[in-house]
Amino acid sequence: MIPRRYAMWSAGVGWRDGDFEVVVLDEAGAEVVPSVVVAGGDKTRLVELLRHTSERAGGDLAAVIESTNGMLDGHLLAAGLRVYRADPAVLPDRPPLGSVPARDLAESARRDLSTLHGLSIRTGTMTGRGEESRAHLAGSAATERELQPMGRFVERGSDDVPEIALTFDDGPHPAYTPQVLDILSRYDITASFFCVGLNVQAHPELVARTAGEGHLVGNHTWSHPYLPDLSRDQLMRQVDATNEALTKATGTGSTLVRPPYGVRTSDVLTWLAERDMTTVFWNSDIGDWGLPGADAIVSAAVERTTNGSVLLLHDAGGDRSQTVEALPRILEGLLGRGFQFVTIDELAPWSPPSA
């Protein structure tokens, strides 16, 4: 992607509660598309709106999201759109549960596109944050060691037991989640699903089905944000709003939280533990989010798995057709190696603290 200082048109995509807001500006700052609110469950409409607008702009449209919105980049990039991330340093303060207004995001691209990060399917909303995120992980190691024996941090199970936990992030999705559930049912396997609150609110019937079929349902925050950018209050609002949506869908919330991108800080881990929440990660990222092809997904899952592995896959957040295609072969390969599938709360030696 060639760096540019401006785009002919710029689209800001903000969010608030369960909805997205879109504003498109021309090079002079006039509204080509005035503020449009799109329901959180209607990402197809949002993508089509921006794709059509990009065609009107001759392909010269910059779609801008911010770091609290990790739900859209995969969908927008898969549609061939140019997508950028605006960080807090170039934006006004945001509300406790929401992004800055869509117009502010569009203005950030109109002012100077070079201050934003151009995203790709392979790097997603983490583009440009690799060194920063590695520093956060290193800085949280001591806190992880403190929390693990307390049952407040889990990353893998026992090396001595042939148990593994299959986990899916970012759902539910109306197309992919039912296909994943159908496949798991066919093989009589239970998994753990870490759900994004905005998607739970949009598709509660899928979450109810997931829980009803014996799978574990966990909390993956409300809007899939980069947690180091959040204050304690903003983090807890994300978690609490998601648990409220889970409770409406299934009758209960979750004490298991998975931070988006696996990025955590010592503060994030401590804040969650103080709320009696357990932070759940993985030790085997299969990389399906990068769309490497079904064969590569199968190879990574089957070859990397060992006793106690927690495998990371996705049932939403972009095009997950490769994951669906690969899943039966993954299950057959792992069953053939003698592994038993369990949910995160059943994984030895970790178990939830007693009430």
Side-chain angles (χ1 to χ4, degrees), residues 13 31 34 58 63 95 129 140 159 173 209 214 255 262-263 283 287 295 320 324 328 337 353-354:
V13 185
E31 292 187 354
R129 289 193 128 155
S140 69
D159 292 331
H173 187 281
R209 176 188 169 184
T255 60
V263 178
N283 71 308
D295 289 345
R320 299 299 172 234
V324 172
R337 292 185 58 196
S354 58

Side-chain angles (χ1 to χ4, degrees), residues 172 177 181 184 189-195 200 203-218 245-254 315 343 345:
T177 302
L181 292 173
L184 294 173
I189 284 172
T190 53
S192 302
F193 289 78
F194 288 89
C195 300
V200 175
H203 307 290
E205 73 288 350
L206 290 179
V207 185
R209 176 188 169 184
T210 301
E213 293 183 4
H215 304 289
L216 181 145
V217 174
L246 290 174
T247 300
K248 289 180 181 178
T250 70
T252 184
S254 177
D315 62 326
T343 53
D345 58 335

Side-chain angles (χ1 to χ4, degrees), residues 45-62:
R45 180 190 169 205
L46 190 154
V47 170
E48 288 304 313
L49 170 63
L50 291 178
R51 183 155 54 186
H52 175 68
T53 306
S54 180
E55 291 172 357
R56 289 174 58 195
D60 199 0
L61 174 75

Side-chain angles (χ1 to χ4, degrees), residues 271-337:
W271 294 338
L272 292 171
E274 288 173 348
R275 287 285 299 275
D276 295 330
M277 310 292 287
T278 293
T279 309
V280 179
F281 294 98
W282 58 85
N283 71 308
S284 184
D285 181 356
I286 307 307
D288 62 326
W289 46 270
L291 305 183
D295 289 345
I297 294 171
V298 173
S299 295
V302 176
E303 294 172 8
R304 295 178 192 171
T305 298
T306 60
N307 288 354
S309 284
V310 175
L311 286 71
L312 172 65
L313 290 164
H314 297 79
D315 62 326
D319 180 355
R320 299 299 172 234
S321 57
Q322 293 181 4
T323 305
V324 172
E325 179 185 349
L327 187 55
R329 286 189 283 159
I330 291 173
L331 301 181
E332 290 171 7
L334 294 174
L335 287 169
R337 292 185 58 196

Side-chain angles (χ1 to χ4, degrees), residues 123-327:
T123 57
T125 45
M126 285 292 288
T127 300
R129 289 193 128 155
E131 183 176 347
E132 176 187 351
S133 64
R134 286 189 290 272
H136 286 313
L137 296 184
S140 69
T143 304
E144 293 170 13
R145 289 192 294 270
E146 293 175 5
L147 294 177
Q148 189 168 13
M150 299 164 55
R152 294 303 179 196
F153 178 89
V154 59
E155 191 170 39
R156 60 166 300 130
S158 171
D159 292 331
D160 301 323
V161 183
E163 293 179 341
I164 59 175
L166 189 64
T167 69
F168 294 88
D169 280 10
D170 298 351
H173 187 281
Y176 302 120
T177 302
Q179 294 180 73
V180 168
L181 292 173
D182 288 346
I183 294 168
L184 294 173
S185 176
R186 192 159 73 238
Y187 287 87
D188 194 24
I189 284 172
T190 53
S192 302
F193 289 78
F194 288 89
C195 300
V196 171
L198 191 146
N199 292 337
V200 175
Q201 179 172 280
H203 307 290
E205 73 288 350
L206 290 179
V207 185
R209 176 188 169 184
T210 301
E213 293 183 4
H215 304 289
L216 181 145
V217 174
N219 189 317
H220 199 34
T221 71
W222 182 259
S223 66
H224 206 278
Y226 182 72
L227 296 190
D229 279 354
L230 303 188
S231 67
R232 186 185 190 283
D233 179 59
Q234 290 169 333
L235 170 61
M236 292 310 159
R237 286 174 185 258
Q238 288 263 344
V239 171
D240 290 345
T242 302
N243 268 346
E244 289 175 11
L246 290 174
T247 300
K248 289 180 181 178
T250 70
T252 184
S254 177
T255 60
L256 305 181
V257 180
R258 172 168 277 175
Y261 319 107
V263 178
R264 63 270 195 183
T265 65
S266 180
D267 282 343
V268 165
L269 295 174
T270 300
W271 294 338
L272 292 171
E274 288 173 348
R275 287 285 299 275
D276 295 330
M277 310 292 287
T278 293
T279 309
V280 179
F281 294 98
W282 58 85
N283 71 308
S284 184
D285 181 356
I286 307 307
D288 62 326
W289 46 270
L291 305 183
D295 289 345
I297 294 171
V298 173
S299 295
V302 176
E303 294 172 8
R304 295 178 192 171
T305 298
T306 60
N307 288 354
S309 284
V310 175
L311 286 71
L312 172 65
L313 290 164
H314 297 79
D315 62 326
D319 180 355
R320 299 299 172 234
S321 57
Q322 293 181 4
T323 305
V324 172
E325 179 185 349
L327 187 55

